[in-house]
Amino acid sequence: MIEVGANAPDFSLRSHNGEEVSLSQFRGDKWVVLHTFPLAFTGG
């Protein structure tokens, strides 16, 4: 579990257009917002 105020660990995801993007690409000079959709398209 990540504590409030702690830096997020580096991770990689596929973007909406299929490109692999990692958090480290944005470190230092950019704000990052990660939006998730729990249970999206799972029928649950």
Side-chain angles (χ1 to χ4, degrees), residues 2 4-5 7 9 14-15 18 23-24 26 28-29 31 35 37-40:
I2 301 171
V4 174
N7 289 334
R14 295 220 177 266
S15 69
L23 183 60
S24 62
F26 301 96
D29 61 347
W31 285 78
H35 187 83
F37 295 92
L39 302 177

Side-chain angles (χ1 to χ4, degrees), residues 12 25 36:
S12 296
Q25 291 176 280
T36 61

Side-chain angles (χ1 to χ4, degrees), residues 6-31:
N7 289 334
D10 192 30
F11 59 88
S12 296
L13 300 170
R14 295 220 177 266
S15 69
H16 66 282
N17 58 2
E19 295 177 19
E20 187 166 310
V21 179
S22 67
L23 183 60
S24 62
Q25 291 176 280
F26 301 96
R27 228 177 266 280
D29 61 347
K30 299 178 182 176
W31 285 78

